[in-house]
Amino acid sequence: MKEHADDVNEVHDLATFADPGHNVVTPVAQFDPEVALAVVSTLANIVTRAKSSAVATTPDADGITRSQVFEEGDVYMIEKPFDGFFADRYLMDFYDVTQRDLCSRMHLHTGLRFVRMMTGPDTRIRVGSLSPFAITDVPGVTQFTLRAFTDELPDTPEGVVRTRYNLVVPPCSFVDMQVPRGVSHQFNAIGPHAVIDSVHPEESVEVFREQMSGYRMMAQTVFLADELHSADACTDLGDVEA
């Protein structure tokens, strides 16, 4: 999938890209604001502590640096793969796109992902893809819905128009997303309290498959835009009540 295995800013041609599948999204639970804030803040603080840890910011005996940075936020590999277990788990503390006036780019990964998105008060996550989301809910079990809408992906090359499919994770909510390998997606948090708990069930496999030299989230990512857009490209929520 990667043209250059260790390139941390590889960009695929947006005009010819087609998703090989769909992201599947499941609303899980909503919480009282104080409960949601406690959970999200506790997880975000783990990521923050890792940024100032000499151990987490230095390659270990397996060459893994557990504190990393991605476009959407700071990342900490809370559980790493080992011989006989090829998955790992990351926590990501989102940047607030309104504070830095930048949106993350649409991208895809060289291996599948399982993502739990978590929001606190006054915070929403806008999720985008170039293919429609499959939103799962079970009557009598699922207690809330997700707002979905479409727009045009901004700043595409001249003559290229791509529909962007969007949904909004509301405040104080847990929402799961299954991301198949190679399927486009982007996350942008509007507000200060947003965290992702992400499991990568192919981590070791994809490193060997792509012939990468190490476990780096940016190297396991392929982007679909050359540059990050300003915040106005990802802060519209489709409805002010979202």
Side-chain angles (χ1 to χ4, degrees), residues 191-219:
H193 307 297
V195 171
I196 272 183
D197 182 359
S198 178
V199 179
H200 306 169
E202 293 183 287
E203 188 84 318
S204 296
V205 174
E206 64 189 279
V207 167
F208 289 118
R209 178 176 59 213
E210 304 296 330
Q211 297 184 322
M212 299 168 183
S213 63
Y215 297 90
R216 296 191 308 283
M217 179 176 277
M218 292 288 281

mmCIF file of all heavy atoms in Angstrom, residues 191-219:
data_model
loop_
_atom_site.group_PDB
_atom_site.id
_atom_site.type_symbol
_atom_site.label_atom_id
_atom_site.label_comp_id
_atom_site.label_asym_id
_atom_site.label_seq_id
_atom_site.Cartn_x
_atom_site.Cartn_y
_atom_site.Cartn_z
ATOM 1 N N GLY A 191 -13.824 21.603 20.276
ATOM 2 C CA GLY A 191 -13.954 21.663 21.717
ATOM 3 C C GLY A 191 -12.737 21.059 22.397
ATOM 4 O O GLY A 191 -11.906 20.400 21.758
ATOM 5 N N PRO A 192 -12.605 21.241 23.718
ATOM 6 C CA PRO A 192 -11.365 20.895 24.417
ATOM 7 C C PRO A 192 -11.267 19.477 24.954
ATOM 8 O O PRO A 192 -10.186 19.074 25.372
ATOM 9 C CB PRO A 192 -11.351 21.896 25.577
ATOM 10 C CG PRO A 192 -12.803 22.126 25.888
ATOM 11 C CD PRO A 192 -13.514 22.052 24.572
ATOM 12 N N HIS A 193 -12.368 18.715 24.949
ATOM 13 C CA HIS A 193 -12.358 17.440 25.667
ATOM 14 C C HIS A 193 -12.719 16.292 24.729
ATOM 15 O O HIS A 193 -13.888 15.909 24.595
ATOM 16 C CB HIS A 193 -13.338 17.471 26.847
ATOM 17 C CG HIS A 193 -13.140 18.620 27.776
ATOM 18 N ND1 HIS A 193 -11.983 18.787 28.504
ATOM 19 C CD2 HIS A 193 -13.948 19.677 28.083
ATOM 20 C CE1 HIS A 193 -12.086 19.883 29.241
ATOM 21 N NE2 HIS A 193 -13.243 20.445 28.999
ATOM 22 N N ALA A 194 -11.712 15.747 24.046
ATOM 23 C CA ALA A 194 -11.951 14.640 23.123
ATOM 24 C C ALA A 194 -10.752 13.707 23.113
ATOM 25 O O ALA A 194 -9.611 14.152 23.023
ATOM 26 C CB ALA A 194 -12.226 15.160 21.710
ATOM 27 N N VAL A 195 -11.046 12.422 23.218
ATOM 28 C CA VAL A 195 -10.003 11.399 23.261
ATOM 29 C C VAL A 195 -10.445 10.223 22.395
ATOM 30 O O VAL A 195 -11.647 9.925 22.287
ATOM 31 C CB VAL A 195 -9.760 10.921 24.713
ATOM 32 C CG1 VAL A 195 -8.848 9.703 24.753
ATOM 33 C CG2 VAL A 195 -9.164 12.034 25.554
ATOM 34 N N ILE A 196 -9.467 9.566 21.789
ATOM 35 C CA ILE A 196 -9.715 8.311 21.072
ATOM 36 C C ILE A 196 -8.944 7.191 21.754
ATOM 37 O O ILE A 196 -7.781 7.369 22.138
ATOM 38 C CB ILE A 196 -9.298 8.426 19.588
ATOM 39 C CG1 ILE A 196 -10.443 8.961 18.727
ATOM 40 C CG2 ILE A 196 -8.837 7.084 19.031
ATOM 41 C CD1 ILE A 196 -10.125 9.041 17.256
ATOM 42 N N ASP A 197 -9.589 6.069 21.905
ATOM 43 C CA ASP A 197 -8.941 4.827 22.339
ATOM 44 C C ASP A 197 -8.957 3.905 21.129
ATOM 45 O O ASP A 197 -10.018 3.478 20.683
ATOM 46 C CB ASP A 197 -9.724 4.229 23.515
ATOM 47 C CG ASP A 197 -9.104 2.952 24.061
ATOM 48 O OD1 ASP A 197 -8.074 2.508 23.521
ATOM 49 O OD2 ASP A 197 -9.655 2.402 25.031
ATOM 50 N N SER A 198 -7.790 3.638 20.555
ATOM 51 C CA SER A 198 -7.698 2.991 19.249
ATOM 52 C C SER A 198 -6.904 1.690 19.332
ATOM 53 O O SER A 198 -5.761 1.695 19.798
ATOM 54 C CB SER A 198 -7.020 3.951 18.258
ATOM 55 O OG SER A 198 -6.862 3.367 16.990
ATOM 56 N N VAL A 199 -7.509 0.604 18.883
ATOM 57 C CA VAL A 199 -6.844 -0.692 18.846
ATOM 58 C C VAL A 199 -6.461 -1.011 17.408
ATOM 59 O O VAL A 199 -7.285 -0.871 16.491
ATOM 60 C CB VAL A 199 -7.755 -1.797 19.411
ATOM 61 C CG1 VAL A 199 -7.059 -3.150 19.340
ATOM 62 C CG2 VAL A 199 -8.167 -1.479 20.848
ATOM 63 N N HIS A 200 -5.208 -1.418 17.213
ATOM 64 C CA HIS A 200 -4.677 -1.714 15.884
ATOM 65 C C HIS A 200 -4.346 -3.202 15.802
ATOM 66 O O HIS A 200 -3.242 -3.616 16.155
ATOM 67 C CB HIS A 200 -3.428 -0.877 15.618
ATOM 68 C CG HIS A 200 -3.633 0.588 15.804
ATOM 69 N ND1 HIS A 200 -2.592 1.480 15.838
ATOM 70 C CD2 HIS A 200 -4.757 1.328 15.976
ATOM 71 C CE1 HIS A 200 -3.066 2.715 16.011
ATOM 72 N NE2 HIS A 200 -4.363 2.632 16.105
ATOM 73 N N PRO A 201 -5.296 -4.005 15.341
ATOM 74 C CA PRO A 201 -5.124 -5.459 15.406
ATOM 75 C C PRO A 201 -4.140 -6.046 14.396
ATOM 76 O O PRO A 201 -3.922 -7.248 14.399
ATOM 77 C CB PRO A 201 -6.544 -5.990 15.134
ATOM 78 C CG PRO A 201 -7.454 -4.822 15.305
ATOM 79 C CD PRO A 201 -6.641 -3.644 14.932
ATOM 80 N N GLU A 202 -3.558 -5.210 13.533
ATOM 81 C CA GLU A 202 -2.598 -5.691 12.538
ATOM 82 C C GLU A 202 -1.228 -5.046 12.691
ATOM 83 O O GLU A 202 -0.408 -5.129 11.784
ATOM 84 C CB GLU A 202 -3.097 -5.393 11.124
ATOM 85 C CG GLU A 202 -4.323 -6.148 10.681
ATOM 86 C CD GLU A 202 -4.656 -5.813 9.240
ATOM 87 O OE1 GLU A 202 -5.141 -4.697 8.994
ATOM 88 O OE2 GLU A 202 -4.423 -6.660 8.359
ATOM 89 N N GLU A 203 -0.971 -4.390 13.798
ATOM 90 C CA GLU A 203 0.188 -3.518 13.890
ATOM 91 C C GLU A 203 1.502 -4.192 13.469
ATOM 92 O O GLU A 203 2.210 -3.699 12.599
ATOM 93 C CB GLU A 203 0.328 -2.961 15.307
ATOM 94 C CG GLU A 203 1.397 -1.885 15.442
ATOM 95 C CD GLU A 203 0.933 -0.498 15.060
ATOM 96 O OE1 GLU A 203 0.224 -0.350 14.048
ATOM 97 O OE2 GLU A 203 1.285 0.454 15.765
ATOM 98 N N SER A 204 1.841 -5.302 14.090
ATOM 99 C CA SER A 204 3.090 -5.978 13.714
ATOM 100 C C SER A 204 3.035 -6.486 12.282
ATOM 101 O O SER A 204 4.020 -6.393 11.537
ATOM 102 C CB SER A 204 3.359 -7.150 14.665
ATOM 103 O OG SER A 204 3.557 -6.703 15.974
ATOM 104 N N VAL A 205 1.878 -7.010 11.885
ATOM 105 C CA VAL A 205 1.738 -7.556 10.538
ATOM 106 C C VAL A 205 1.958 -6.478 9.488
ATOM 107 O O VAL A 205 2.677 -6.676 8.507
ATOM 108 C CB VAL A 205 0.345 -8.208 10.375
ATOM 109 C CG1 VAL A 205 0.129 -8.652 8.945
ATOM 110 C CG2 VAL A 205 0.184 -9.380 11.315
ATOM 111 N N GLU A 206 1.350 -5.309 9.707
ATOM 112 C CA GLU A 206 1.467 -4.281 8.681
ATOM 113 C C GLU A 206 2.873 -3.691 8.617
ATOM 114 O O GLU A 206 3.330 -3.304 7.549
ATOM 115 C CB GLU A 206 0.423 -3.181 8.895
ATOM 116 C CG GLU A 206 0.556 -2.386 10.168
ATOM 117 C CD GLU A 206 -0.629 -1.481 10.417
ATOM 118 O OE1 GLU A 206 -0.666 -0.398 9.820
ATOM 119 O OE2 GLU A 206 -1.508 -1.846 11.220
ATOM 120 N N VAL A 207 3.574 -3.642 9.744
ATOM 121 C CA VAL A 207 4.956 -3.166 9.714
ATOM 122 C C VAL A 207 5.801 -4.055 8.813
ATOM 123 O O VAL A 207 6.560 -3.585 7.966
ATOM 124 C CB VAL A 207 5.546 -3.105 11.134
ATOM 125 C CG1 VAL A 207 7.055 -2.917 11.078
ATOM 126 C CG2 VAL A 207 4.920 -1.962 11.920
ATOM 127 N N PHE A 208 5.653 -5.366 8.971
ATOM 128 C CA PHE A 208 6.404 -6.290 8.121
ATOM 129 C C PHE A 208 5.885 -6.261 6.691
ATOM 130 O O PHE A 208 6.668 -6.305 5.727
ATOM 131 C CB PHE A 208 6.326 -7.704 8.690
ATOM 132 C CG PHE A 208 7.116 -7.883 9.953
ATOM 133 C CD1 PHE A 208 6.499 -8.233 11.141
ATOM 134 C CD2 PHE A 208 8.490 -7.674 9.973
ATOM 135 C CE1 PHE A 208 7.225 -8.386 12.307
ATOM 136 C CE2 PHE A 208 9.223 -7.826 11.136
ATOM 137 C CZ PHE A 208 8.588 -8.185 12.308
ATOM 138 N N ARG A 209 4.590 -6.192 6.524
ATOM 139 C CA ARG A 209 4.002 -6.204 5.182
ATOM 140 C C ARG A 209 4.443 -4.998 4.371
ATOM 141 O O ARG A 209 4.758 -5.100 3.184
ATOM 142 C CB ARG A 209 2.475 -6.231 5.305
ATOM 143 C CG ARG A 209 1.732 -6.196 3.963
ATOM 144 C CD ARG A 209 0.227 -6.328 4.175
ATOM 145 N NE ARG A 209 -0.288 -5.256 5.015
ATOM 146 C CZ ARG A 209 -1.300 -5.393 5.866
ATOM 147 N NH1 ARG A 209 -1.893 -6.563 6.016
ATOM 148 N NH2 ARG A 209 -1.715 -4.368 6.568
ATOM 149 N N GLU A 210 4.480 -3.833 5.008
ATOM 150 C CA GLU A 210 4.867 -2.616 4.309
ATOM 151 C C GLU A 210 6.373 -2.388 4.340
ATOM 152 O O GLU A 210 6.868 -1.423 3.771
ATOM 153 C CB GLU A 210 4.158 -1.413 4.931
ATOM 154 C CG GLU A 210 2.643 -1.517 4.966
ATOM 155 C CD GLU A 210 2.007 -1.569 3.597
ATOM 156 O OE1 GLU A 210 2.583 -0.991 2.650
ATOM 157 O OE2 GLU A 210 0.931 -2.187 3.463
ATOM 158 N N GLN A 211 7.104 -3.245 5.064
ATOM 159 C CA GLN A 211 8.566 -3.159 5.195
ATOM 160 C C GLN A 211 8.990 -1.832 5.840
ATOM 161 O O GLN A 211 9.968 -1.199 5.426
ATOM 162 C CB GLN A 211 9.236 -3.367 3.836
ATOM 163 C CG GLN A 211 8.973 -4.762 3.262
ATOM 164 C CD GLN A 211 9.707 -5.006 1.968
ATOM 165 O OE1 GLN A 211 9.840 -4.126 1.123
ATOM 166 N NE2 GLN A 211 10.208 -6.219 1.801
ATOM 167 N N MET A 212 8.236 -1.440 6.872
ATOM 168 C CA MET A 212 8.573 -0.237 7.626
ATOM 169 C C MET A 212 9.682 -0.553 8.617
ATOM 170 O O MET A 212 9.869 -1.692 9.035
ATOM 171 C CB MET A 212 7.341 0.275 8.376
ATOM 172 C CG MET A 212 6.195 0.662 7.468
ATOM 173 S SD MET A 212 4.673 0.919 8.386
ATOM 174 C CE MET A 212 3.542 1.252 7.032
ATOM 175 N N SER A 213 10.367 0.495 9.033
ATOM 176 C CA SER A 213 11.476 0.281 9.957
ATOM 177 C C SER A 213 11.049 0.387 11.417
ATOM 178 O O SER A 213 11.853 0.107 12.311
ATOM 179 C CB SER A 213 12.595 1.294 9.680
ATOM 180 O OG SER A 213 12.134 2.612 9.902
ATOM 181 N N GLY A 214 9.794 0.798 11.675
ATOM 182 C CA GLY A 214 9.363 0.911 13.059
ATOM 183 C C GLY A 214 7.887 1.201 13.168
ATOM 184 O O GLY A 214 7.184 1.342 12.164
ATOM 185 N N TYR A 215 7.420 1.290 14.404
ATOM 186 C CA TYR A 215 6.004 1.513 14.680
ATOM 187 C C TYR A 215 5.754 3.014 14.815
ATOM 188 O O TYR A 215 5.868 3.588 15.885
ATOM 189 C CB TYR A 215 5.602 0.794 15.971
ATOM 190 C CG TYR A 215 5.754 -0.701 15.896
ATOM 191 C CD1 TYR A 215 6.941 -1.319 16.269
ATOM 192 C CD2 TYR A 215 4.715 -1.509 15.446
ATOM 193 C CE1 TYR A 215 7.097 -2.694 16.195
ATOM 194 C CE2 TYR A 215 4.845 -2.889 15.368
ATOM 195 C CZ TYR A 215 6.051 -3.469 15.746
ATOM 196 O OH TYR A 215 6.188 -4.827 15.674
ATOM 197 N N ARG A 216 5.403 3.646 13.722
ATOM 198 C CA ARG A 216 5.122 5.072 13.731
ATOM 199 C C ARG A 216 3.785 5.317 13.050
ATOM 200 O O ARG A 216 3.607 4.968 11.884
ATOM 201 C CB ARG A 216 6.232 5.858 13.023
ATOM 202 C CG ARG A 216 7.582 5.764 13.704
ATOM 203 C CD ARG A 216 8.578 6.764 13.109
ATOM 204 N NE ARG A 216 8.673 6.673 11.667
ATOM 205 C CZ ARG A 216 9.339 5.723 11.011
ATOM 206 N NH1 ARG A 216 9.969 4.769 11.677
ATOM 207 N NH2 ARG A 216 9.397 5.744 9.703
ATOM 208 N N MET A 217 2.880 5.905 13.792
ATOM 209 C CA MET A 217 1.543 6.114 13.252
ATOM 210 C C MET A 217 1.580 6.884 11.933
ATOM 211 O O MET A 217 0.844 6.560 10.994
ATOM 212 C CB MET A 217 0.664 6.837 14.264
ATOM 213 C CG MET A 217 -0.737 7.106 13.750
ATOM 214 S SD MET A 217 -1.831 7.851 14.971
ATOM 215 C CE MET A 217 -2.362 6.402 15.846
ATOM 216 N N MET A 218 2.429 7.894 11.825
ATOM 217 C CA MET A 218 2.482 8.681 10.598
ATOM 218 C C MET A 218 2.966 7.852 9.413
ATOM 219 O O MET A 218 2.522 8.058 8.278
ATOM 220 C CB MET A 218 3.384 9.895 10.791
ATOM 221 C CG MET A 218 2.827 10.930 11.758
ATOM 222 S SD MET A 218 1.433 11.866 11.102
ATOM 223 C CE MET A 218 2.283 13.043 10.064
ATOM 224 N N ALA A 219 3.868 6.907 9.658
ATOM 225 C CA ALA A 219 4.348 6.064 8.572
ATOM 226 C C ALA A 219 3.311 5.020 8.169
ATOM 227 O O ALA A 219 3.383 4.487 7.066
ATOM 228 C CB ALA A 219 5.652 5.370 8.967
#
